[in-house]
Coordinates of all heavy atoms in Angstrom, one line a residue:
L16 N -3.7 -17.8 1.0 CA -3.4 -16.4 0.6 C -3.8 -15.6 1.9 O -4.9 -15.7 2.4 CB -4.3 -16.0 -0.6 CG -4.1 -14.7 -1.2 CD1 -2.7 -14.7 -1.9 CD2 -5.1 -14.5 -2.3
K17 N -2.9 -14.8 2.3 CA -3.1 -13.9 3.5 C -3.3 -12.5 3.1 O -2.4 -11.9 2.4 CB -2.0 -14.1 4.5 CG -1.9 -15.4 5.1 CD -0.9 -15.4 6.2 CE -0.9 -16.7 6.9 NZ 0.0 -16.8 8.1
L18 N -4.4 -11.9 3.4 CA -4.8 -10.5 3.1 C -4.8 -9.7 4.3 O -5.1 -10.1 5.4 CB -6.2 -10.5 2.4 CG -6.4 -11.4 1.2 CD1 -7.8 -11.3 0.8 CD2 -5.4 -11.0 0.1
L19 N -4.5 -8.4 4.1 CA -4.5 -7.4 5.2 C -5.1 -6.1 4.7 O -4.9 -5.7 3.6 CB -3.1 -7.2 5.7 CG -2.9 -6.0 6.7 CD1 -3.4 -6.4 8.1 CD2 -1.4 -5.7 6.8
H20 N -5.9 -5.5 5.5 CA -6.4 -4.1 5.2 C -6.2 -3.2 6.3 O -6.4 -3.5 7.5 CB -7.9 -4.1 4.9 CG -8.4 -2.7 4.6 ND1 -8.2 -2.1 3.4 CD2 -9.1 -1.9 5.4 CE1 -8.7 -0.9 3.5 NE2 -9.3 -0.7 4.7
I21 N -5.6 -2.0 6.0 CA -5.3 -1.0 7.1 C -5.7 0.4 6.6 O -5.5 0.7 5.5 CB -3.8 -1.0 7.4 CG1 -3.3 -2.3 7.9 CG2 -3.5 0.1 8.4 CD1 -1.8 -2.4 8.2
N22 N -6.4 1.1 7.5 CA -6.6 2.5 7.3 C -5.4 3.2 8.0 O -5.3 3.3 9.2 CB -7.9 2.9 8.0 CG -8.3 4.4 7.8 OD1 -7.4 5.2 7.4 ND2 -9.5 4.8 8.0
C23 N -4.5 3.7 7.1 CA -3.2 4.2 7.6 C -3.3 5.6 8.2 O -2.5 5.9 9.1 CB -2.3 4.3 6.4 SG -2.0 2.8 5.6
R24 N -4.2 6.5 7.8 CA -4.2 7.9 8.2 C -2.8 8.5 8.0 O -2.2 9.0 9.0 CB -4.7 8.0 9.6 CG -6.1 7.8 9.8 CD -7.1 8.9 9.5 NE -6.8 10.1 10.3 CZ -7.0 11.3 9.9 NH1 -7.3 11.5 8.6 NH2 -6.7 12.3 10.6
S25 N -2.2 8.2 6.9 CA -0.8 8.6 6.5 C 0.2 7.5 6.8 O 0.4 7.1 7.9 CB -0.4 9.9 7.1 OG 0.9 10.2 6.6
I26 N 0.8 7.0 5.7 CA 1.8 6.0 5.8 C 3.2 6.6 5.7 O 4.2 5.9 5.7 CB 1.6 4.9 4.7 CG1 2.4 3.7 5.0 CG2 1.9 5.5 3.3 CD1 2.0 2.9 6.2
L27 N 3.3 8.0 5.7 CA 4.5 8.7 5.4 C 5.5 8.7 6.5 O 6.7 8.8 6.3 CB 4.2 10.1 5.0 CG 3.4 10.3 3.7 CD1 3.0 11.7 3.5 CD2 4.2 9.8 2.5
S28 N 5.1 8.4 7.7 CA 6.0 8.5 8.9 C 6.9 7.2 8.9 O 6.4 6.1 8.6 CB 5.3 8.7 10.2 OG 4.7 7.5 10.6
E29 N 8.1 7.3 9.4 CA 9.0 6.2 9.5 C 8.4 5.2 10.5 O 8.6 3.9 10.2 CB 10.4 6.7 9.9 CG 11.4 5.6 9.9 CD 12.8 6.1 10.3 OE1 13.1 7.2 10.0 OE2 13.6 5.3 10.8
T30 N 7.8 5.6 11.5 CA 7.2 4.7 12.5 C 6.1 3.8 11.9 O 6.1 2.6 12.1 CB 6.6 5.5 13.7 OG1 7.6 6.3 14.3 CG2 6.0 4.6 14.7
K31 N 5.2 4.4 11.1 CA 4.2 3.7 10.5 C 4.7 2.7 9.4 O 4.2 1.6 9.3 CB 3.1 4.6 9.9 CG 2.2 5.2 11.0 CD 1.1 6.0 10.4 CE 0.3 6.6 11.5 NZ -0.9 7.4 11.0
M32 N 5.7 3.1 8.7 CA 6.3 2.3 7.7 C 7.0 1.0 8.4 O 6.8 -0.1 7.9 CB 7.4 3.0 6.9 CG 6.8 3.8 5.7 SD 6.0 2.8 4.5 CE 7.3 1.8 3.9
T33 N 7.7 1.3 9.4 CA 8.3 0.2 10.2 C 7.3 -0.8 10.7 O 7.4 -2.0 10.7 CB 9.2 0.8 11.3 OG1 10.2 1.6 10.8 CG2 9.9 -0.4 12.1
H34 N 6.2 -0.2 11.3 CA 5.1 -1.0 11.8 C 4.5 -1.9 10.7 O 4.3 -3.1 10.9 CB 4.1 -0.2 12.5 CG 3.0 -0.9 13.2 ND1 3.2 -1.7 14.3 CD2 1.7 -1.0 12.9 CE1 2.1 -2.2 14.7 NE2 1.1 -1.8 13.9
L35 N 4.2 -1.3 9.5 CA 3.6 -2.0 8.4 C 4.6 -3.1 8.0 O 4.2 -4.3 7.8 CB 3.4 -1.1 7.2 CG 2.9 -1.7 6.0 CD1 1.6 -2.5 6.2 CD2 2.7 -0.7 4.9
E36 N 5.9 -2.8 7.8 CA 6.8 -3.8 7.4 C 6.9 -5.0 8.4 O 7.0 -6.2 8.0 CB 8.2 -3.2 7.2 CG 8.3 -2.3 6.0 CD 9.6 -1.4 6.0 OE1 10.2 -1.3 7.0 OE2 9.9 -1.0 4.9
T37 N 6.8 -4.7 9.7 CA 6.8 -5.7 10.7 C 5.6 -6.6 10.6 O 5.7 -7.9 10.6 CB 6.9 -5.1 12.1 OG1 8.1 -4.3 12.2 CG2 6.9 -6.1 13.2
I38 N 4.5 -6.1 10.4 CA 3.2 -6.8 10.2 C 3.3 -7.7 9.0 O 2.9 -8.9 9.1 CB 2.0 -5.9 10.1 CG1 1.7 -5.2 11.5 CG2 0.7 -6.7 9.7 CD1 0.7 -4.1 11.4
L39 N 3.8 -7.2 7.9 CA 3.9 -7.9 6.6 C 4.8 -9.2 6.8 O 4.4 -10.3 6.4 CB 4.4 -7.1 5.5 CG 3.5 -5.9 5.1 CD1 4.2 -5.1 4.0 CD2 2.1 -6.4 4.5
I40 N 5.9 -9.0 7.5 CA 6.8 -10.1 7.7 C 6.3 -11.1 8.7 O 6.3 -12.3 8.5 CB 8.2 -9.5 8.1 CG1 8.8 -8.7 6.9 CG2 9.1 -10.7 8.6 CD1 10.0 -7.9 7.3
K41 N 5.9 -10.6 9.9 CA 5.4 -11.4 11.0 C 4.3 -12.3 10.6 O 4.2 -13.5 10.9 CB 5.1 -10.6 12.2 CG 4.6 -11.4 13.4 CD 4.3 -10.5 14.5 CE 3.8 -11.3 15.7 NZ 3.4 -10.5 16.9
H42 N 3.3 -11.8 9.8 CA 2.1 -12.5 9.5 C 2.2 -13.1 8.0 O 1.2 -13.7 7.6 CB 0.9 -11.6 9.7 CG 0.7 -11.2 11.1 ND1 0.2 -12.1 12.0 CD2 1.0 -10.1 11.7 CE1 0.1 -11.5 13.2 NE2 0.6 -10.2 13.0
K43 N 3.3 -12.9 7.4 CA 3.5 -13.5 6.0 C 2.3 -13.0 5.1 O 1.7 -13.9 4.4 CB 3.7 -15.0 6.0 CG 4.9 -15.4 6.8 CD 5.0 -16.9 6.9 CE 6.2 -17.3 7.8 NZ 6.2 -18.7 8.1
I44 N 2.1 -11.7 5.1 CA 1.0 -11.2 4.3 C 1.3 -11.2 2.8 O 2.4 -10.8 2.4 CB 0.7 -9.7 4.7 CG1 0.3 -9.6 6.2 CG2 -0.4 -9.1 3.8 CD1 -0.9 -10.4 6.6
D45 N 0.4 -11.7 2.0 CA 0.6 -11.8 0.5 C 0.1 -10.5 -0.1 O 0.7 -10.0 -1.1 CB -0.2 -13.0 0.0 CG 0.3 -14.3 0.5 OD1 1.5 -14.5 0.3 OD2 -0.5 -15.1 1.0
I46 N -1.1 -10.0 0.3 CA -1.6 -8.7 -0.3 C -2.1 -7.8 0.8 O -2.9 -8.3 1.7 CB -2.8 -9.1 -1.2 CG1 -2.3 -10.0 -2.4 CG2 -3.4 -7.8 -1.8 CD1 -3.4 -10.4 -3.3
A47 N -1.6 -6.6 0.8 CA -2.1 -5.6 1.8 C -2.8 -4.5 1.1 O -2.3 -4.0 0.1 CB -0.9 -5.1 2.6
S48 N -4.0 -4.2 1.5 CA -4.8 -3.1 1.0 C -4.7 -1.9 2.0 O -5.0 -2.1 3.2 CB -6.2 -3.5 0.9 OG -7.1 -2.4 0.7
L49 N -4.2 -0.8 1.5 CA -4.1 0.4 2.4 C -5.0 1.5 1.9 O -5.0 1.8 0.7 CB -2.6 0.9 2.4 CG -1.5 -0.2 2.5 CD1 -0.1 0.5 2.4 CD2 -1.6 -0.9 3.9
N50 N -5.7 2.2 2.8 CA -6.4 3.3 2.5 C -6.0 4.5 3.3 O -5.3 4.3 4.4 CB -7.9 3.1 2.5 CG -8.5 2.9 3.8 OD1 -8.0 2.2 4.6 ND2 -9.6 3.7 4.1
E51 N -6.4 5.7 2.9 CA -5.9 7.0 3.6 C -4.4 7.0 3.7 O -3.8 7.3 4.7 CB -6.6 7.1 5.0 CG -8.1 7.2 5.0 CD -8.6 8.4 4.3 OE1 -7.9 9.5 4.4 OE2 -9.7 8.4 3.7
T52 N -3.7 6.7 2.6 CA -2.3 6.7 2.6 C -1.7 8.1 2.6 O -0.5 8.2 3.1 CB -1.7 6.0 1.3 OG1 -2.2 6.7 0.1 CG2 -2.1 4.5 1.2
F53 N -2.4 9.1 2.2 CA -1.9 10.5 2.1 C -0.7 10.7 1.2 O 0.0 11.6 1.4 CB -1.6 11.0 3.5 CG -2.8 11.2 4.5 CD1 -4.0 10.6 4.3 CD2 -2.7 12.1 5.5 CE1 -5.0 10.7 5.2 CE2 -3.7 12.3 6.4 CZ -4.9 11.6 6.2
L54 N -0.5 9.8 0.3 CA 0.6 9.9 -0.6 C 0.3 10.8 -1.8 O -0.9 11.0 -2.1 CB 1.0 8.5 -1.2 CG 1.5 7.5 -0.2 CD1 1.6 6.1 -0.9 CD2 2.8 7.9 0.4
S55 N 1.3 11.5 -2.3 CA 1.1 12.4 -3.5 C 2.0 11.9 -4.6 O 2.8 11.0 -4.4 CB 1.4 13.8 -3.2 OG 2.7 14.0 -2.8
N56 N 1.9 12.5 -5.8 CA 2.8 12.0 -6.9 C 4.2 12.0 -6.6 O 5.0 11.1 -7.1 CB 2.5 12.9 -8.1 CG 1.2 12.7 -8.8 OD1 0.5 11.7 -8.5 ND2 0.8 13.6 -9.6
N57 N 4.7 12.9 -5.8 CA 6.1 12.9 -5.5 C 6.5 12.2 -4.2 O 7.7 12.2 -3.8 CB 6.6 14.4 -5.4 CG 5.9 15.2 -4.3 OD1 5.0 14.7 -3.7 ND2 6.3 16.4 -4.2
S58 N 5.6 11.4 -3.6 CA 5.9 10.6 -2.4 C 6.6 9.3 -2.8 O 6.1 8.6 -3.7 CB 4.6 10.2 -1.7 OG 4.0 11.4 -1.2
D59 N 7.7 9.0 -2.1 CA 8.4 7.7 -2.4 C 7.8 6.7 -1.4 O 7.9 6.8 -0.2 CB 9.9 8.0 -2.1 CG 10.7 6.8 -2.5 OD1 10.3 6.0 -3.5 OD2 11.8 6.5 -1.9
F60 N 7.3 5.6 -2.0 CA 6.7 4.5 -1.2 C 7.1 3.2 -1.8 O 6.6 2.8 -2.9 CB 5.2 4.7 -1.1 CG 4.5 3.6 -0.3 CD1 4.7 3.4 1.0 CD2 3.6 2.7 -0.9 CE1 4.1 2.4 1.8 CE2 3.0 1.7 -0.2 CZ 3.2 1.6 1.1
N61 N 7.9 2.5 -1.1 CA 8.4 1.2 -1.5 C 8.4 0.2 -0.4 O 8.7 0.6 0.8 CB 9.8 1.2 -2.1 CG 9.9 2.1 -3.4 OD1 9.3 1.8 -4.4 ND2 10.6 3.2 -3.3
L62 N 8.2 -1.1 -0.7 CA 8.3 -2.1 0.3 C 9.1 -3.3 -0.3 O 8.8 -3.7 -1.4 CB 6.9 -2.6 0.7 CG 6.0 -1.7 1.6 CD1 4.6 -2.2 1.6 CD2 6.6 -1.5 2.9
L63 N 10.1 -3.8 0.4 CA 10.9 -4.9 -0.1 C 10.0 -6.1 -0.3 O 9.2 -6.4 0.5 CB 11.9 -5.2 1.0 CG 13.0 -6.2 0.6 CD1 13.8 -5.7 -0.6 CD2 13.9 -6.5 1.8
N64 N 10.2 -6.7 -1.5 CA 9.5 -7.9 -1.9 C 8.0 -7.7 -2.3 O 7.3 -8.7 -2.4 CB 9.6 -9.0 -0.9 CG 11.0 -9.4 -0.6 OD1 11.8 -9.5 -1.6 ND2 11.4 -9.7 0.6
Y65 N 7.6 -6.4 -2.5 CA 6.2 -6.2 -2.8 C 6.1 -5.2 -4.0 O 6.9 -4.3 -4.1 CB 5.4 -5.5 -1.7 CG 5.1 -6.5 -0.6 CD1 6.0 -6.7 0.4 CD2 3.9 -7.1 -0.5 CE1 5.7 -7.6 1.5 CE2 3.6 -8.0 0.5 CZ 4.5 -8.3 1.5 OH 4.2 -9.2 2.5
D66 N 5.2 -5.5 -4.9 CA 4.8 -4.5 -6.0 C 3.7 -3.6 -5.4 O 2.9 -4.1 -4.6 CB 4.3 -5.3 -7.2 CG 5.4 -6.0 -8.0 OD1 6.4 -5.4 -8.2 OD2 5.2 -7.2 -8.3
I67 N 3.8 -2.4 -5.7 CA 2.8 -1.4 -5.2 C 2.0 -0.8 -6.3 O 2.5 -0.3 -7.3 CB 3.6 -0.2 -4.5 CG1 4.6 -0.7 -3.5 CG2 2.5 0.7 -3.8 CD1 4.1 -1.5 -2.3
I68 N 0.7 -0.9 -6.2 CA -0.2 -0.2 -7.1 C -0.9 0.9 -6.3 O -1.5 0.7 -5.2 CB -1.3 -1.1 -7.6 CG1 -0.7 -2.3 -8.4 CG2 -2.3 -0.4 -8.5 CD1 -1.7 -3.4 -8.8
R69 N -0.7 2.2 -6.7 CA -1.2 3.3 -6.0 C -2.3 4.1 -6.7 O -2.3 4.1 -7.9 CB -0.1 4.3 -5.7 CG 0.9 3.7 -4.7 CD 2.2 4.6 -4.6 NE 2.0 6.0 -4.6 CZ 3.0 6.9 -4.4 NH1 4.2 6.4 -4.2 NH2 2.8 8.2 -4.5
C70 N -3.2 4.7 -5.9 CA -4.1 5.6 -6.5 C -4.1 6.8 -5.5 O -4.8 6.8 -4.5 CB -5.5 5.0 -6.6 SG -6.8 6.1 -7.3
D71 N -3.3 7.8 -5.8 CA -3.1 8.9 -4.9 C -4.2 10.0 -5.2 O -4.7 10.1 -6.3 CB -1.8 9.6 -5.1 CG -0.6 8.7 -4.9 OD1 -0.7 7.7 -4.1 OD2 0.5 8.9 -5.5
R72 N -4.7 10.6 -4.1 CA -5.7 11.7 -4.3 C -5.0 12.9 -5.0 O -3.9 13.3 -4.7 CB -6.2 12.1 -2.9 CG -7.2 13.3 -3.1 CD -7.8 13.7 -1.8 NE -9.0 13.0 -1.6 CZ -9.8 13.1 -0.5 NH1 -9.4 13.8 0.5 NH2 -10.9 12.5 -0.4
K73 N -5.7 13.4 -6.0 CA -5.2 14.5 -6.7 C -5.9 15.8 -6.3 O -7.0 15.9 -6.0 CB -5.5 14.3 -8.2 CG -4.7 13.2 -8.8 CD -5.1 12.8 -10.2 CE -4.4 11.7 -10.8 NZ -4.5 10.4 -10.1
N74 N -5.1 16.9 -6.2 CA -5.6 18.2 -5.9 C -6.1 18.4 -4.5 O -6.8 19.4 -4.3 CB -6.6 18.7 -7.0 CG -6.1 18.6 -8.4 OD1 -4.9 18.9 -8.6 ND2 -6.9 18.1 -9.3
K75 N -5.9 17.5 -3.6 CA -6.4 17.6 -2.2 C -5.4 16.9 -1.3 O -4.7 16.0 -1.8 CB -7.8 17.0 -2.1 CG -8.9 17.9 -2.4 CD -10.2 17.3 -1.9 CE -11.3 18.2 -1.9 NZ -12.6 17.6 -1.5
R76 N -5.4 17.3 -0.1 CA -4.6 16.6 0.9 C -5.4 15.4 1.4 O -6.6 15.3 1.5 CB -4.3 17.5 2.1 CG -3.4 16.9 3.0 CD -2.9 17.8 4.1 NE -2.0 17.0 4.9 CZ -2.0 17.1 6.2 NH1 -2.8 17.9 6.9 NH2 -1.3 16.3 6.9
G77 N -4.7 14.3 1.9 CA -5.3 13.1 2.4 C -5.7 12.2 1.4 O -5.4 12.2 0.2
G78 N -6.5 11.2 1.8 CA -7.1 10.2 0.9 C -6.0 9.3 0.3 O -4.9 9.2 0.8
G79 N -6.3 8.6 -0.7 CA -5.4 7.7 -1.4 C -5.5 6.3 -1.0 O -5.9 6.0 0.1
A80 N -5.1 5.4 -1.9 CA -5.2 4.0 -1.6 C -4.0 3.3 -2.3 O -3.4 3.8 -3.2 CB -6.5 3.4 -2.1
A81 N -3.6 2.1 -1.7 CA -2.5 1.4 -2.3 C -2.8 -0.1 -2.1 O -3.3 -0.5 -1.1 CB -1.2 1.8 -1.7
L82 N -2.4 -0.9 -3.1 CA -2.3 -2.4 -2.9 C -0.8 -2.8 -2.9 O -0.1 -2.3 -3.8 CB -3.0 -3.1 -4.1 CG -4.5 -3.1 -4.0 CD1 -5.1 -3.8 -5.3 CD2 -5.0 -3.9 -2.8
C83 N -0.5 -3.6 -2.0 CA 0.9 -4.1 -1.9 C 0.8 -5.6 -2.1 O 0.2 -6.3 -1.3 CB 1.5 -3.8 -0.5 SG 1.3 -2.1 0.0
I84 N 1.4 -6.0 -3.2 CA 1.2 -7.4 -3.7 C 2.6 -8.1 -3.7 O 3.5 -7.6 -4.3 CB 0.6 -7.5 -5.1 CG1 -0.7 -6.7 -5.0 CG2 0.4 -8.9 -5.5 CD1 -1.3 -6.5 -6.4
R85 N 2.7 -9.2 -3.0 CA 4.0 -9.9 -2.9 C 4.5 -10.2 -4.3 O 3.7 -10.6 -5.2 CB 3.8 -11.2 -2.1 CG 5.1 -11.9 -1.9 CD 4.9 -13.2 -1.1 NE 4.4 -13.0 0.3 CZ 5.2 -12.6 1.3 NH1 6.5 -12.4 1.1 NH2 4.7 -12.4 2.5
K86 N 5.8 -10.0 -4.6 CA 6.3 -10.1 -5.9 C 6.2 -11.5 -6.5 O 6.2 -11.6 -7.7 CB 7.8 -9.7 -5.9 CG 8.0 -8.2 -5.7 CD 9.4 -7.8 -6.0 CE 9.6 -6.3 -5.8 NZ 9.2 -5.5 -6.9
S87 N 6.0 -12.5 -5.7 CA 5.8 -13.9 -6.2 C 4.4 -14.1 -6.8 O 4.2 -15.2 -7.4 CB 6.1 -14.9 -5.1 OG 5.2 -14.7 -4.0
I88 N 3.5 -13.2 -6.6 CA 2.2 -13.3 -7.1 C 2.0 -12.6 -8.5 O 2.3 -11.4 -8.6 CB 1.1 -12.7 -6.1 CG1 1.2 -13.5 -4.8 CG2 -0.3 -12.8 -6.7 CD1 0.3 -12.9 -3.7
E89 N 1.6 -13.3 -9.5 CA 1.4 -12.7 -10.8 C 0.0 -12.0 -10.8 O -1.0 -12.6 -10.3 CB 1.4 -13.8 -11.9 CG 2.8 -14.4 -12.1 CD 2.8 -15.3 -13.3 OE1 2.1 -15.0 -14.3 OE2 3.5 -16.3 -13.2
F90 N 0.0 -10.8 -11.4 CA -1.3 -10.1 -11.4 C -1.2 -9.2 -12.6 O -0.2 -8.9 -13.2 CB -1.5 -9.3 -10.2 CG -0.5 -8.2 -9.9 CD1 -0.8 -6.9 -10.3 CD2 0.7 -8.4 -9.3 CE1 0.1 -5.9 -10.1 CE2 1.6 -7.4 -9.0 CZ 1.3 -6.1 -9.5
T91 N -2.4 -8.7 -13.0 CA -2.5 -7.7 -14.1 C -3.4 -6.6 -13.6 O -4.6 -6.8 -13.4 CB -3.1 -8.4 -15.4 OG1 -2.3 -9.4 -15.8 CG2 -3.2 -7.3 -16.5
P92 N -2.9 -5.4 -13.5 CA -3.8 -4.3 -13.1 C -4.8 -4.0 -14.2 O -4.5 -4.1 -15.4 CB -2.8 -3.1 -13.0 CG -1.5 -3.7 -12.9 CD -1.5 -5.0 -13.6
I93 N -6.0 -3.6 -13.8 CA -7.1 -3.3 -14.8 C -7.5 -1.8 -14.5 O -7.8 -1.4 -13.4 CB -8.3 -4.2 -14.6 CG1 -7.9 -5.6 -14.9 CG2 -9.4 -3.7 -15.5 CD1 -9.0 -6.6 -14.5
S94 N -7.4 -1.0 -15.6 CA -7.8 0.4 -15.5 C -9.3 0.6 -15.7 O -9.8 0.1 -16.7 CB -7.0 1.2 -16.5 OG -7.5 2.6 -16.4
L95 N -10.0 1.2 -14.8 CA -11.4 1.5 -14.9 C -11.7 2.9 -15.2 O -12.8 3.4 -15.0 CB -12.1 1.0 -13.6 CG -12.0 -0.4 -13.3 CD1 -12.7 -0.7 -11.9 CD2 -12.5 -1.3 -14.4
E96 N -10.7 3.7 -15.5 CA -10.8 5.1 -15.8 C -11.8 5.4 -16.9 O -12.4 6.5 -16.9 CB -9.5 5.8 -16.0 CG -8.6 5.8 -14.8 CD -7.3 6.5 -15.1 OE1 -7.2 7.3 -16.0 OE2 -6.3 6.2 -14.4
S97 N -12.0 4.5 -17.8 CA -12.9 4.8 -19.0 C -14.4 4.6 -18.6 O -15.2 4.9 -19.4 CB -12.5 3.9 -20.1 OG -12.7 2.5 -19.8
M98 N -14.6 4.1 -17.4 CA -16.0 3.9 -17.0 C -16.7 5.1 -16.5 O -16.1 6.0 -16.0 CB -16.1 2.8 -15.9 CG -15.7 1.4 -16.4 SD -15.8 0.2 -15.2 CE -17.6 -0.1 -15.2

């Protein structure tokens, strides 16, 4: 299992998306953890062959996190909002 963690400082630019996609393919990453994505509810963020779990910052700019999990990996998200 190959894992990757990146502090994006915004994944919204085409350059950063291309760079991320290149890293995922070149290193055959199974799960990528991204922080400081700067995504909001209306941001479109997709990666070919990956399921995306997002936690966007609400009511503020910046922040946010995402897990990008290769589609061949079975998983079940767990909500901790009730804690």
